[in-house]
PDB file of all heavy atoms in Angstrom:
ATOM      1  N   TRP A  22      33.368  48.974 128.651  1.00  0.00           N
ATOM      2  CA  TRP A  22      32.975  48.768 130.041  1.00  0.00           C
ATOM      3  C   TRP A  22      32.500  50.105 130.603  1.00  0.00           C
ATOM      4  O   TRP A  22      33.127  51.139 130.380  1.00  0.00           O
ATOM      5  CB  TRP A  22      34.154  48.252 130.862  1.00  0.00           C
ATOM      6  CG  TRP A  22      34.529  46.831 130.556  1.00  0.00           C
ATOM      7  CD1 TRP A  22      35.577  46.399 129.797  1.00  0.00           C
ATOM      8  CD2 TRP A  22      33.838  45.651 130.996  1.00  0.00           C
ATOM      9  NE1 TRP A  22      35.596  45.025 129.728  1.00  0.00           N
ATOM     10  CE2 TRP A  22      34.539  44.540 130.457  1.00  0.00           C
ATOM     11  CE3 TRP A  22      32.700  45.432 131.781  1.00  0.00           C
ATOM     12  CZ2 TRP A  22      34.136  43.229 130.692  1.00  0.00           C
ATOM     13  CZ3 TRP A  22      32.300  44.125 132.013  1.00  0.00           C
ATOM     14  CH2 TRP A  22      33.011  43.037 131.475  1.00  0.00           C
ATOM     15  N   HIS A  23      31.409  50.089 131.346  1.00  0.00           N
ATOM     16  CA  HIS A  23      30.893  51.332 131.895  1.00  0.00           C
ATOM     17  C   HIS A  23      30.174  51.093 133.218  1.00  0.00           C
ATOM     18  O   HIS A  23      29.622  50.016 133.460  1.00  0.00           O
ATOM     19  CB  HIS A  23      29.937  52.026 130.905  1.00  0.00           C
ATOM     20  CG  HIS A  23      28.808  51.160 130.446  1.00  0.00           C
ATOM     21  ND1 HIS A  23      28.957  50.165 129.491  1.00  0.00           N
ATOM     22  CD2 HIS A  23      27.491  51.128 130.811  1.00  0.00           C
ATOM     23  CE1 HIS A  23      27.801  49.567 129.279  1.00  0.00           C
ATOM     24  NE2 HIS A  23      26.893  50.137 130.076  1.00  0.00           N
ATOM     25  N   THR A  24      30.208  52.109 134.066  1.00  0.00           N
ATOM     26  CA  THR A  24      29.585  52.051 135.381  1.00  0.00           C
ATOM     27  C   THR A  24      28.730  53.295 135.575  1.00  0.00           C
ATOM     28  O   THR A  24      29.189  54.413 135.300  1.00  0.00           O
ATOM     29  CB  THR A  24      30.642  51.993 136.507  1.00  0.00           C
ATOM     30  OG1 THR A  24      31.496  50.871 136.285  1.00  0.00           O
ATOM     31  CG2 THR A  24      29.968  51.867 137.871  1.00  0.00           C
ATOM     32  N   THR A  25      27.496  53.110 136.022  1.00  0.00           N
ATOM     33  CA  THR A  25      26.578  54.224 136.236  1.00  0.00           C
ATOM     34  C   THR A  25      26.290  54.365 137.724  1.00  0.00           C
ATOM     35  O   THR A  25      26.005  53.375 138.404  1.00  0.00           O
ATOM     36  CB  THR A  25      25.257  53.995 135.481  1.00  0.00           C
ATOM     37  OG1 THR A  25      25.539  53.697 134.105  1.00  0.00           O
ATOM     38  CG2 THR A  25      24.360  55.222 135.560  1.00  0.00           C
ATOM     39  N   ILE A  26      26.369  55.605 138.226  1.00  0.00           N
ATOM     40  CA  ILE A  26      26.134  55.871 139.641  1.00  0.00           C
ATOM     41  C   ILE A  26      25.125  57.012 139.762  1.00  0.00           C
ATOM     42  O   ILE A  26      25.355  58.113 139.268  1.00  0.00           O
ATOM     43  CB  ILE A  26      27.433  56.262 140.372  1.00  0.00           C
ATOM     44  CG1 ILE A  26      28.487  55.162 140.224  1.00  0.00           C
ATOM     45  CG2 ILE A  26      27.154  56.533 141.855  1.00  0.00           C
ATOM     46  CD1 ILE A  26      29.852  55.546 140.748  1.00  0.00           C
ATOM     47  N   GLY A  27      24.001  56.743 140.408  1.00  0.00           N
ATOM     48  CA  GLY A  27      23.008  57.776 140.661  1.00  0.00           C
ATOM     49  C   GLY A  27      22.984  58.103 142.143  1.00  0.00           C
ATOM     50  O   GLY A  27      22.881  57.207 142.974  1.00  0.00           O
ATOM     51  N   ASP A  28      23.094  59.379 142.489  1.00  0.00           N
ATOM     52  CA  ASP A  28      23.156  59.744 143.903  1.00  0.00           C
ATOM     53  C   ASP A  28      22.010  60.652 144.323  1.00  0.00           C
ATOM     54  O   ASP A  28      22.025  61.230 145.394  1.00  0.00           O
ATOM     55  CB  ASP A  28      24.486  60.412 144.245  1.00  0.00           C
ATOM     56  CG  ASP A  28      24.742  61.691 143.457  1.00  0.00           C
ATOM     57  OD1 ASP A  28      23.865  62.082 142.666  1.00  0.00           O
ATOM     58  OD2 ASP A  28      25.814  62.294 143.644  1.00  0.00           O
ATOM     59  N   ARG A  29      20.993  60.802 143.466  1.00  0.00           N
ATOM     60  CA  ARG A  29      19.823  61.622 143.797  1.00  0.00           C
ATOM     61  C   ARG A  29      18.706  61.197 142.850  1.00  0.00           C
ATOM     62  O   ARG A  29      18.966  60.454 141.893  1.00  0.00           O
ATOM     63  CB  ARG A  29      20.138  63.114 143.614  1.00  0.00           C
ATOM     64  CG  ARG A  29      20.454  63.504 142.168  1.00  0.00           C
ATOM     65  CD  ARG A  29      20.772  64.973 142.043  1.00  0.00           C
ATOM     66  NE  ARG A  29      22.016  65.307 142.703  1.00  0.00           N
ATOM     67  CZ  ARG A  29      22.499  66.544 142.809  1.00  0.00           C
ATOM     68  NH1 ARG A  29      21.802  67.550 142.319  1.00  0.00           N
ATOM     69  NH2 ARG A  29      23.643  66.770 143.395  1.00  0.00           N
ATOM     70  N   PRO A  30      17.471  61.603 143.076  1.00  0.00           N
ATOM     71  CA  PRO A  30      16.409  61.228 142.131  1.00  0.00           C
ATOM     72  C   PRO A  30      16.783  61.628 140.706  1.00  0.00           C
ATOM     73  O   PRO A  30      17.188  62.761 140.461  1.00  0.00           O
ATOM     74  CB  PRO A  30      15.192  62.017 142.641  1.00  0.00           C
ATOM     75  CG  PRO A  30      15.468  62.202 144.099  1.00  0.00           C
ATOM     76  CD  PRO A  30      16.956  62.392 144.196  1.00  0.00           C
ATOM     77  N   ASN A  31      16.694  60.710 139.778  1.00  0.00           N
ATOM     78  CA  ASN A  31      17.088  60.991 138.399  1.00  0.00           C
ATOM     79  C   ASN A  31      16.300  60.103 137.457  1.00  0.00           C
ATOM     80  O   ASN A  31      15.903  59.005 137.821  1.00  0.00           O
ATOM     81  CB  ASN A  31      18.595  60.773 138.210  1.00  0.00           C
ATOM     82  CG  ASN A  31      19.010  59.334 138.479  1.00  0.00           C
ATOM     83  OD1 ASN A  31      18.886  58.464 137.627  1.00  0.00           O
ATOM     84  ND2 ASN A  31      19.491  59.075 139.700  1.00  0.00           N
ATOM     85  N   HIS A  32      16.087  60.607 136.241  1.00  0.00           N
ATOM     86  CA  HIS A  32      15.492  59.815 135.173  1.00  0.00           C
ATOM     87  C   HIS A  32      16.246  60.130 133.882  1.00  0.00           C
ATOM     88  O   HIS A  32      16.567  61.286 133.619  1.00  0.00           O
ATOM     89  CB  HIS A  32      14.005  60.129 134.993  1.00  0.00           C
ATOM     90  CG  HIS A  32      13.137  59.538 136.055  1.00  0.00           C
ATOM     91  ND1 HIS A  32      12.797  60.215 137.206  1.00  0.00           N
ATOM     92  CD2 HIS A  32      12.544  58.311 136.160  1.00  0.00           C
ATOM     93  CE1 HIS A  32      12.039  59.447 137.966  1.00  0.00           C
ATOM     94  NE2 HIS A  32      11.867  58.292 137.357  1.00  0.00           N
ATOM     95  N   SER A  33      16.506  59.088 133.104  1.00  0.00           N
ATOM     96  CA  SER A  33      17.191  59.260 131.830  1.00  0.00           C
ATOM     97  C   SER A  33      16.517  58.420 130.761  1.00  0.00           C
ATOM     98  O   SER A  33      16.070  57.298 131.030  1.00  0.00           O
ATOM     99  CB  SER A  33      18.663  58.827 131.933  1.00  0.00           C
ATOM    100  OG  SER A  33      19.389  59.620 132.844  1.00  0.00           O
ATOM    101  N   LEU A  34      16.436  58.986 129.566  1.00  0.00           N
ATOM    102  CA  LEU A  34      16.084  58.165 128.416  1.00  0.00           C
ATOM    103  C   LEU A  34      17.337  57.401 128.014  1.00  0.00           C
ATOM    104  O   LEU A  34      18.412  57.991 127.885  1.00  0.00           O
ATOM    105  CB  LEU A  34      15.623  59.036 127.253  1.00  0.00           C
ATOM    106  CG  LEU A  34      14.216  59.618 127.314  1.00  0.00           C
ATOM    107  CD1 LEU A  34      13.954  60.474 126.089  1.00  0.00           C
ATOM    108  CD2 LEU A  34      13.170  58.521 127.425  1.00  0.00           C
ATOM    109  N   VAL A  35      17.209  56.098 127.831  1.00  0.00           N
ATOM    110  CA  VAL A  35      18.345  55.267 127.427  1.00  0.00           C
ATOM    111  C   VAL A  35      18.007  54.635 126.084  1.00  0.00           C
ATOM    112  O   VAL A  35      17.008  53.917 125.957  1.00  0.00           O
ATOM    113  CB  VAL A  35      18.652  54.186 128.479  1.00  0.00           C
ATOM    114  CG1 VAL A  35      19.802  53.300 128.004  1.00  0.00           C
ATOM    115  CG2 VAL A  35      19.005  54.838 129.819  1.00  0.00           C
ATOM    116  N   LEU A  36      18.833  54.925 125.103  1.00  0.00           N
ATOM    117  CA  LEU A  36      18.619  54.422 123.747  1.00  0.00           C
ATOM    118  C   LEU A  36      19.669  53.372 123.424  1.00  0.00           C
ATOM    119  O   LEU A  36      20.868  53.651 123.436  1.00  0.00           O
ATOM    120  CB  LEU A  36      18.707  55.571 122.744  1.00  0.00           C
ATOM    121  CG  LEU A  36      18.633  55.182 121.271  1.00  0.00           C
ATOM    122  CD1 LEU A  36      17.250  54.638 120.928  1.00  0.00           C
ATOM    123  CD2 LEU A  36      18.970  56.378 120.376  1.00  0.00           C
ATOM    124  N   ASP A  37      19.236  52.147 123.160  1.00  0.00           N
ATOM    125  CA  ASP A  37      20.115  51.074 122.715  1.00  0.00           C
ATOM    126  C   ASP A  37      19.978  50.948 121.204  1.00  0.00           C
ATOM    127  O   ASP A  37      18.869  50.819 120.679  1.00  0.00           O
ATOM    128  CB  ASP A  37      19.729  49.748 123.374  1.00  0.00           C
ATOM    129  CG  ASP A  37      19.974  49.752 124.875  1.00  0.00           C
ATOM    130  OD1 ASP A  37      20.923  50.424 125.315  1.00  0.00           O
ATOM    131  OD2 ASP A  37      19.215  49.089 125.607  1.00  0.00           O
ATOM    132  N   VAL A  38      21.114  50.976 120.505  1.00  0.00           N
ATOM    133  CA  VAL A  38      21.077  50.914 119.047  1.00  0.00           C
ATOM    134  C   VAL A  38      22.317  50.183 118.543  1.00  0.00           C
ATOM    135  O   VAL A  38      23.415  50.322 119.101  1.00  0.00           O
ATOM    136  CB  VAL A  38      21.003  52.348 118.443  1.00  0.00           C
ATOM    137  CG1 VAL A  38      22.174  53.193 118.879  1.00  0.00           C
ATOM    138  CG2 VAL A  38      20.874  52.300 116.938  1.00  0.00           C
ATOM    139  N   ALA A  39      22.145  49.360 117.514  1.00  0.00           N
ATOM    140  CA  ALA A  39      23.274  48.625 116.943  1.00  0.00           C
ATOM    141  C   ALA A  39      24.316  49.594 116.398  1.00  0.00           C
ATOM    142  O   ALA A  39      23.967  50.576 115.735  1.00  0.00           O
ATOM    143  CB  ALA A  39      22.788  47.689 115.842  1.00  0.00           C
ATOM    144  N   GLY A  40      25.582  49.323 116.695  1.00  0.00           N
ATOM    145  CA  GLY A  40      26.646  50.191 116.207  1.00  0.00           C
ATOM    146  C   GLY A  40      26.634  50.336 114.699  1.00  0.00           C
ATOM    147  O   GLY A  40      26.949  51.401 114.155  1.00  0.00           O
ATOM    148  N   ALA A  41      26.236  49.268 114.007  1.00  0.00           N
ATOM    149  CA  ALA A  41      26.203  49.309 112.540  1.00  0.00           C
ATOM    150  C   ALA A  41      25.159  50.284 112.011  1.00  0.00           C
ATOM    151  O   ALA A  41      25.223  50.695 110.848  1.00  0.00           O
ATOM    152  CB  ALA A  41      25.931  47.905 111.993  1.00  0.00           C
ATOM    153  N   ASP A  42      24.203  50.671 112.848  1.00  0.00           N
ATOM    154  CA  ASP A  42      23.148  51.590 112.419  1.00  0.00           C
ATOM    155  C   ASP A  42      23.541  53.054 112.595  1.00  0.00           C
ATOM    156  O   ASP A  42      22.752  53.949 112.265  1.00  0.00           O
ATOM    157  CB  ASP A  42      21.866  51.319 113.210  1.00  0.00           C
ATOM    158  CG  ASP A  42      21.234  49.976 112.846  1.00  0.00           C
ATOM    159  OD1 ASP A  42      21.527  49.466 111.749  1.00  0.00           O
ATOM    160  OD2 ASP A  42      20.468  49.446 113.669  1.00  0.00           O
ATOM    161  N   ILE A  43      24.738  53.296 113.123  1.00  0.00           N
ATOM    162  CA  ILE A  43      25.212  54.667 113.320  1.00  0.00           C
ATOM    163  C   ILE A  43      26.259  54.970 112.257  1.00  0.00           C
ATOM    164  O   ILE A  43      27.243  54.234 112.124  1.00  0.00           O
ATOM    165  CB  ILE A  43      25.835  54.848 114.716  1.00  0.00           C
ATOM    166  CG1 ILE A  43      24.836  54.433 115.801  1.00  0.00           C
ATOM    167  CG2 ILE A  43      26.265  56.300 114.929  1.00  0.00           C
ATOM    168  CD1 ILE A  43      25.405  54.488 117.205  1.00  0.00           C
ATOM    169  N   PRO A  44      26.098  56.029 111.465  1.00  0.00           N
ATOM    170  CA  PRO A  44      27.108  56.371 110.449  1.00  0.00           C
ATOM    171  C   PRO A  44      28.493  56.486 111.075  1.00  0.00           C
ATOM    172  O   PRO A  44      28.656  56.990 112.188  1.00  0.00           O
ATOM    173  CB  PRO A  44      26.621  57.730 109.928  1.00  0.00           C
ATOM    174  CG  PRO A  44      25.137  57.712 110.167  1.00  0.00           C
ATOM    175  CD  PRO A  44      24.952  56.970 111.456  1.00  0.00           C
ATOM    176  N   ASP A  45      29.503  56.006 110.337  1.00  0.00           N
ATOM    177  CA  ASP A  45      30.859  55.938 110.890  1.00  0.00           C
ATOM    178  C   ASP A  45      31.349  57.279 111.420  1.00  0.00           C
ATOM    179  O   ASP A  45      31.935  57.351 112.503  1.00  0.00           O
ATOM    180  CB  ASP A  45      31.834  55.418 109.823  1.00  0.00           C
ATOM    181  CG  ASP A  45      31.607  53.945 109.508  1.00  0.00           C
ATOM    182  OD1 ASP A  45      30.968  53.266 110.331  1.00  0.00           O
ATOM    183  OD2 ASP A  45      32.055  53.495 108.441  1.00  0.00           O
ATOM    184  N   GLY A  46      31.138  58.344 110.665  1.00  0.00           N
ATOM    185  CA  GLY A  46      31.640  59.641 111.099  1.00  0.00           C
ATOM    186  C   GLY A  46      31.024  60.080 112.417  1.00  0.00           C
ATOM    187  O   GLY A  46      31.722  60.596 113.299  1.00  0.00           O
ATOM    188  N   ILE A  47      29.727  59.861 112.558  1.00  0.00           N
ATOM    189  CA  ILE A  47      29.041  60.249 113.786  1.00  0.00           C
ATOM    190  C   ILE A  47      29.477  59.350 114.938  1.00  0.00           C
ATOM    191  O   ILE A  47      29.726  59.823 116.054  1.00  0.00           O
ATOM    192  CB  ILE A  47      27.520  60.192 113.590  1.00  0.00           C
ATOM    193  CG1 ILE A  47      27.079  61.303 112.630  1.00  0.00           C
ATOM    194  CG2 ILE A  47      26.786  60.312 114.923  1.00  0.00           C
ATOM    195  CD1 ILE A  47      25.595  61.306 112.329  1.00  0.00           C
ATOM    196  N   ALA A  48      29.581  58.034 114.688  1.00  0.00           N
ATOM    197  CA  ALA A  48      30.011  57.105 115.737  1.00  0.00           C
ATOM    198  C   ALA A  48      31.399  57.464 116.246  1.00  0.00           C
ATOM    199  O   ALA A  48      31.646  57.461 117.457  1.00  0.00           O
ATOM    200  CB  ALA A  48      29.992  55.674 115.197  1.00  0.00           C
ATOM    201  N   ASP A  49      32.307  57.785 115.331  1.00  0.00           N
ATOM    202  CA  ASP A  49      33.679  58.127 115.736  1.00  0.00           C
ATOM    203  C   ASP A  49      33.703  59.400 116.573  1.00  0.00           C
ATOM    204  O   ASP A  49      34.419  59.487 117.578  1.00  0.00           O
ATOM    205  CB  ASP A  49      34.570  58.308 114.504  1.00  0.00           C
ATOM    206  CG  ASP A  49      34.824  57.001 113.771  1.00  0.00           C
ATOM    207  OD1 ASP A  49      34.580  55.942 114.375  1.00  0.00           O
ATOM    208  OD2 ASP A  49      35.248  57.055 112.605  1.00  0.00           O
ATOM    209  N   ARG A  50      32.917  60.381 116.152  1.00  0.00           N
ATOM    210  CA  ARG A  50      32.902  61.646 116.892  1.00  0.00           C
ATOM    211  C   ARG A  50      32.307  61.467 118.275  1.00  0.00           C
ATOM    212  O   ARG A  50      32.845  61.961 119.270  1.00  0.00           O
ATOM    213  CB  ARG A  50      32.114  62.696 116.117  1.00  0.00           C
ATOM    214  CG  ARG A  50      32.014  64.037 116.835  1.00  0.00           C
ATOM    215  CD  ARG A  50      31.429  65.084 115.932  1.00  0.00           C
ATOM    216  NE  ARG A  50      31.192  66.326 116.651  1.00  0.00           N
ATOM    217  CZ  ARG A  50      30.772  67.440 116.086  1.00  0.00           C
ATOM    218  NH1 ARG A  50      30.551  67.471 114.782  1.00  0.00           N
ATOM    219  NH2 ARG A  50      30.573  68.523 116.806  1.00  0.00           N
ATOM    220  N   LEU A  51      31.185  60.742 118.361  1.00  0.00           N
ATOM    221  CA  LEU A  51      30.566  60.523 119.661  1.00  0.00           C
ATOM    222  C   LEU A  51      31.470  59.709 120.575  1.00  0.00           C
ATOM    223  O   LEU A  51      31.579  59.991 121.777  1.00  0.00           O
ATOM    224  CB  LEU A  51      29.217  59.830 119.482  1.00  0.00           C
ATOM    225  CG  LEU A  51      28.103  60.656 118.832  1.00  0.00           C
ATOM    226  CD1 LEU A  51      26.869  59.786 118.610  1.00  0.00           C
ATOM    227  CD2 LEU A  51      27.750  61.869 119.678  1.00  0.00           C
ATOM    228  N   ALA A  52      32.115  58.679 120.021  1.00  0.00           N
ATOM    229  CA  ALA A  52      32.998  57.845 120.835  1.00  0.00           C
ATOM    230  C   ALA A  52      34.191  58.632 121.344  1.00  0.00           C
ATOM    231  O   ALA A  52      34.643  58.440 122.483  1.00  0.00           O
ATOM    232  CB  ALA A  52      33.461  56.639 120.027  1.00  0.00           C
ATOM    233  N   SER A  53      34.725  59.535 120.518  1.00  0.00           N
ATOM    234  CA  SER A  53      35.882  60.323 120.949  1.00  0.00           C
ATOM    235  C   SER A  53      35.506  61.310 122.046  1.00  0.00           C
ATOM    236  O   SER A  53      36.310  61.610 122.935  1.00  0.00           O
ATOM    237  CB  SER A  53      36.486  61.071 119.763  1.00  0.00           C
ATOM    238  OG  SER A  53      35.592  62.060 119.266  1.00  0.00           O
ATOM    239  N   GLN A  54      34.266  61.805 122.007  1.00  0.00           N
ATOM    240  CA  GLN A  54      33.816  62.739 123.029  1.00  0.00           C
ATOM    241  C   GLN A  54      33.372  62.013 124.292  1.00  0.00           C
ATOM    242  O   GLN A  54      33.712  62.403 125.399  1.00  0.00           O
ATOM    243  CB  GLN A  54      32.652  63.581 122.501  1.00  0.00           C
ATOM    244  CG  GLN A  54      33.042  64.623 121.471  1.00  0.00           C
ATOM    245  CD  GLN A  54      31.837  65.440 121.057  1.00  0.00           C
ATOM    246  OE1 GLN A  54      30.969  64.970 120.338  1.00  0.00           O
ATOM    247  NE2 GLN A  54      31.778  66.675 121.525  1.00  0.00           N
ATOM    248  N   GLY A  55      32.589  60.973 124.132  1.00  0.00           N
ATOM    249  CA  GLY A  55      32.069  60.257 125.288  1.00  0.00           C
ATOM    250  C   GLY A  55      30.938  61.008 125.953  1.00  0.00           C
ATOM    251  O   GLY A  55      29.809  60.522 126.055  1.00  0.00           O
ATOM    252  N   PHE A  56      31.234  62.223 126.398  1.00  0.00           N
ATOM    253  CA  PHE A  56      30.252  63.067 127.065  1.00  0.00           C
ATOM    254  C   PHE A  56      29.942  64.241 126.144  1.00  0.00           C
ATOM    255  O   PHE A  56      30.849  64.981 125.745  1.00  0.00           O
ATOM    256  CB  PHE A  56      30.780  63.514 128.419  1.00  0.00           C
ATOM    257  CG  PHE A  56      31.107  62.347 129.306  1.00  0.00           C
ATOM    258  CD1 PHE A  56      32.412  61.877 129.403  1.00  0.00           C
ATOM    259  CD2 PHE A  56      30.115  61.681 130.005  1.00  0.00           C
ATOM    260  CE1 PHE A  56      32.725  60.785 130.191  1.00  0.00           C
ATOM    261  CE2 PHE A  56      30.417  60.591 130.797  1.00  0.00           C
ATOM    262  CZ  PHE A  56      31.720  60.133 130.888  1.00  0.00           C
ATOM    263  N   VAL A  57      28.658  64.383 125.791  1.00  0.00           N
ATOM    264  CA  VAL A  57      28.275  65.239 124.678  1.00  0.00           C
ATOM    265  C   VAL A  57      27.351  66.372 125.130  1.00  0.00           C
ATOM    266  O   VAL A  57      26.287  66.113 125.709  1.00  0.00           O
ATOM    267  CB  VAL A  57      27.537  64.405 123.597  1.00  0.00           C
ATOM    268  CG1 VAL A  57      27.311  65.239 122.351  1.00  0.00           C
ATOM    269  CG2 VAL A  57      28.316  63.141 123.269  1.00  0.00           C
ATOM    270  N   PRO A  58      27.732  67.638 124.886  1.00  0.00           N
ATOM    271  CA  PRO A  58      26.814  68.752 125.191  1.00  0.00           C
ATOM    272  C   PRO A  58      25.535  68.614 124.379  1.00  0.00           C
ATOM    273  O   PRO A  58      25.561  68.233 123.208  1.00  0.00           O
ATOM    274  CB  PRO A  58      27.605  69.995 124.776  1.00  0.00           C
ATOM    275  CG  PRO A  58      29.031  69.572 124.760  1.00  0.00           C
ATOM    276  CD  PRO A  58      29.020  68.123 124.356  1.00  0.00           C
ATOM    277  N   MET A  59      24.418  68.917 124.986  1.00  0.00           N
ATOM    278  CA  MET A  59      23.136  68.802 124.312  1.00  0.00           C
ATOM    279  C   MET A  59      22.859  70.057 123.492  1.00  0.00           C
ATOM    280  O   MET A  59      22.630  71.144 124.034  1.00  0.00           O
ATOM    281  CB  MET A  59      22.019  68.592 125.333  1.00  0.00           C
ATOM    282  CG  MET A  59      22.057  67.226 125.990  1.00  0.00           C
ATOM    283  SD  MET A  59      21.643  65.888 124.851  1.00  0.00           S
ATOM    284  CE  MET A  59      19.901  66.196 124.596  1.00  0.00           C
ATOM    285  N   ALA A  60      22.902  69.911 122.177  1.00  0.00           N
ATOM    286  CA  ALA A  60      22.547  71.009 121.293  1.00  0.00           C
ATOM    287  C   ALA A  60      21.042  71.255 121.382  1.00  0.00           C
ATOM    288  O   ALA A  60      20.276  70.364 121.767  1.00  0.00           O
ATOM    289  CB  ALA A  60      22.937  70.667 119.852  1.00  0.00           C
ATOM    290  N   PRO A  61      20.576  72.469 121.047  1.00  0.00           N
ATOM    291  CA  PRO A  61      19.137  72.763 121.141  1.00  0.00           C
ATOM    292  C   PRO A  61      18.257  71.775 120.383  1.00  0.00           C
ATOM    293  O   PRO A  61      17.195  71.382 120.880  1.00  0.00           O
ATOM    294  CB  PRO A  61      19.037  74.174 120.556  1.00  0.00           C
ATOM    295  CG  PRO A  61      20.372  74.786 120.840  1.00  0.00           C
ATOM    296  CD  PRO A  61      21.357  73.668 120.680  1.00  0.00           C
ATOM    297  N   ALA A  62      18.687  71.371 119.188  1.00  0.00           N
ATOM    298  CA  ALA A  62      17.877  70.427 118.414  1.00  0.00           C
ATOM    299  C   ALA A  62      17.760  69.088 119.132  1.00  0.00           C
ATOM    300  O   ALA A  62      16.690  68.462 119.155  1.00  0.00           O
ATOM    301  CB  ALA A  62      18.489  70.235 117.028  1.00  0.00           C
ATOM    302  N   ALA A  63      18.859  68.627 119.737  1.00  0.00           N
ATOM    303  CA  ALA A  63      18.833  67.362 120.468  1.00  0.00           C
ATOM    304  C   ALA A  63      17.946  67.465 121.698  1.00  0.00           C
ATOM    305  O   ALA A  63      17.193  66.541 122.016  1.00  0.00           O
ATOM    306  CB  ALA A  63      20.255  66.960 120.861  1.00  0.00           C
ATOM    307  N   THR A  64      18.026  68.593 122.394  1.00  0.00           N
ATOM    308  CA  THR A  64      17.201  68.789 123.588  1.00  0.00           C
ATOM    309  C   THR A  64      15.718  68.713 123.241  1.00  0.00           C
ATOM    310  O   THR A  64      14.925  68.095 123.954  1.00  0.00           O
ATOM    311  CB  THR A  64      17.516  70.150 124.231  1.00  0.00           C
ATOM    312  OG1 THR A  64      18.892  70.177 124.618  1.00  0.00           O
ATOM    313  CG2 THR A  64      16.650  70.384 125.464  1.00  0.00           C
ATOM    314  N   ALA A  65      15.333  69.332 122.133  1.00  0.00           N
ATOM    315  CA  ALA A  65      13.932  69.312 121.713  1.00  0.00           C
ATOM    316  C   ALA A  65      13.485  67.890 121.371  1.00  0.00           C
ATOM    317  O   ALA A  65      12.380  67.469 121.728  1.00  0.00           O
ATOM    318  CB  ALA A  65      13.736  70.239 120.517  1.00  0.00           C
ATOM    319  N   LEU A  66      14.328  67.134 120.689  1.00  0.00           N
ATOM    320  CA  LEU A  66      13.989  65.758 120.333  1.00  0.00           C
ATOM    321  C   LEU A  66      13.848  64.880 121.574  1.00  0.00           C
ATOM    322  O   LEU A  66      12.922  64.074 121.677  1.00  0.00           O
ATOM    323  CB  LEU A  66      15.070  65.178 119.408  1.00  0.00           C
ATOM    324  CG  LEU A  66      15.069  65.694 117.967  1.00  0.00           C
ATOM    325  CD1 LEU A  66      16.375  65.329 117.283  1.00  0.00           C
ATOM    326  CD2 LEU A  66      13.885  65.122 117.201  1.00  0.00           C
TER     327      LEU A  66
END
């Protein structure tokens, strides 16, 4: 369950992807973090 609140002009890329398409190790790490710092490589992509 999740709730999104925008309080100023904002734009986000939103990527929907099947959980089965994410490697288990990466899915577990991302899920445990929830909020993820953007590494330089990710920012460029």
